[in-house]
Amino acid sequence: MRIILLGPPGAGKGTQAKLLKTYFGLVHISTGDLLRKVVAENSVLGKIVKQYMDKGDLVPDSSVVELLKERLSCADTNKGFILDGFPRNGAQAEILDNAFKEKSLDIDYVIYLKADEPVIIQRLSGRRVCSKCQANFHITNMPPKKEGICDNCGSALYQRSDDQEESIKNRLKVYLSETASLTGYYLRQNKLLEMDANFEATIVFEKIKSALSKKY
Ligand code: AP5
């Protein structure tokens, strides 16, 4: 099964991707995570990418597409995958369609996680990420057992630089201007499953499972 998770920042794409990965045995590919790895390497490219990400702007298509194609060429993706954070504009959607056509593959479902702005802001401003294993927590919605410490590996939690107020506002603006119209693109391809993602994560996941079981 090949799934795209679409939705505004903070809708819960990463959270649902992890649940889907475990439940269906799929590979989770997050372009945000791939880019954060490049930034952590502190290379010339990493420094350029960081400037876009800190502001909440989209990283140029050429850099993201190259990273994604490299990841999709790995053998583990043969068992199916979840794309989290890609595509983010019309050009990326077309590049993806063409790349799949060349391999006679297709995307099965595009799950559109829809969440209201106050919910999004509450989720993003309270998110904390593990500095070592990248596990996600939330100070009130999904708090770690010990404040500031990762439940999985015991490392320190940090706040993403793009989870500051200014950057969150810009990410929402960029989502509306660049990404939101992709729902129409995938609706026309009859692949879109729209989900109300304002609920607690396990409830959203149950709704996704139920929608997929009717289709799959
Ligand atoms: P990326 O890392 O993809 O960020 P994003 O799309 O802004 O998404 P988020 O990770 O912020 O939110 P999410 O929807 O995954 O929510 P999550 O599950 O984490 O991209 C970062 C940057 O990289 C971009 O701004 C851009 O610069 C660049 N980039 C990435 N892809 C690109 C591309 N294709 N082209 C160009 N540039 C690209 O949850 C958030 C919080 O809420 C967590 O704390 C979680 O615990 C909590 N939570 C989640 N679900 C629930 C729930 N149902 N109830 C309560 N709490 C919840």
Side-chain angles (χ1 to χ4, degrees):
M1 184 157 44
R2 290 176 286 274
I3 297 176
I4 290 175
L5 287 178
L6 198 63
K13 300 181 296 297
T15 303
Q16 295 304 323
K18 286 183 185 84
L19 295 169
L20 285 161
K21 169 188 168 168
T22 309
Y23 189 80
F24 289 107
L26 304 170
V27 173
H28 172 199
I29 303 175
S30 153
T31 43
D33 287 348
L34 294 176
L35 289 164
R36 277 183 285 278
K37 239 186 226 167
V38 172
V39 170
E41 285 160 9
N42 211 17
S43 59
V44 176
L45 176 65
K47 284 180 184 147
I48 297 170
V49 166
K50 185 175 177 356
Q51 288 175 3
Y52 287 97
M53 292 181 82
D54 282 353
K55 273 195 271 173
D57 287 336
L58 293 188
V59 173
D61 291 348
S62 53
S63 306
V64 186
V65 168
E66 198 182 316
L67 279 175
L68 181 71
K69 282 193 170 168
E70 197 182 312
R71 182 64 187 89
L72 285 174
S73 69
C74 299
D76 62 346
T77 59
N78 290 337
K79 61 184 174 185
F81 52 81
I82 308 143
L83 281 186
D84 159 12
F86 193 99
R88 261 179 147 100
N89 59 32
Q92 292 184 6
E94 280 173 26
I95 289 170
L96 192 64
D97 277 354
N98 292 335
F100 281 143
K101 248 180 231 154
E102 274 172 28
K103 295 182 180 175
S104 301
L105 294 175
D106 207 358
I107 289 292
D108 298 298
Y109 304 110
V110 177
I111 302 173
Y112 167 36
L113 299 174
K114 217 173 149 186
D116 299 333
E117 194 168 314
V119 171
I120 288 172
I121 291 169
Q122 190 269 357
R123 286 182 187 172
L124 292 180
S125 53
R127 169 168 47 195
R128 297 293 181 270
V129 183
C130 175
S131 50
K132 193 172 176 194
C133 72
Q134 313 308 320
N136 263 251
F137 297 88
H138 189 281
I139 51 173
T140 51
N141 304 358
M142 298 174 204
K145 290 190 189 98
K146 197 172 167 201
E147 196 185 327
I149 302 294
C150 176
D151 288 355
N152 302 338
C153 71
S155 302
L157 302 182
Y158 75 101
Q159 185 170 27
R160 266 171 50 174
S161 49
D162 60 349
D163 279 345
Q164 306 293 332
E165 195 183 338
E166 273 309 297
S167 182
I168 292 175
K169 278 189 198 153
N170 189 43
R171 284 158 68 198
L172 285 168
K173 213 168 88 188
V174 170
Y175 173 78
L176 288 176
S177 63
E178 302 278 333
T179 315
S181 62
L182 290 180
T183 55
Y185 181 85
Y186 288 114
L187 188 64
R188 288 190 289 280
Q189 294 188 7
N190 200 23
K191 289 179 181 155
L192 199 76
L193 291 176
E194 187 173 316
M195 295 286 147
D196 184 347
N198 288 301
F199 301 99
E200 201 241 303
T202 51
I203 297 176
V204 177
F205 184 56
E206 286 307 315
K207 286 170 182 281
I208 293 175
K209 271 196 314 188
S210 158
L212 288 178
S213 71
K214 281 178 202 146
K215 287 236 174 197
Y216 201 55

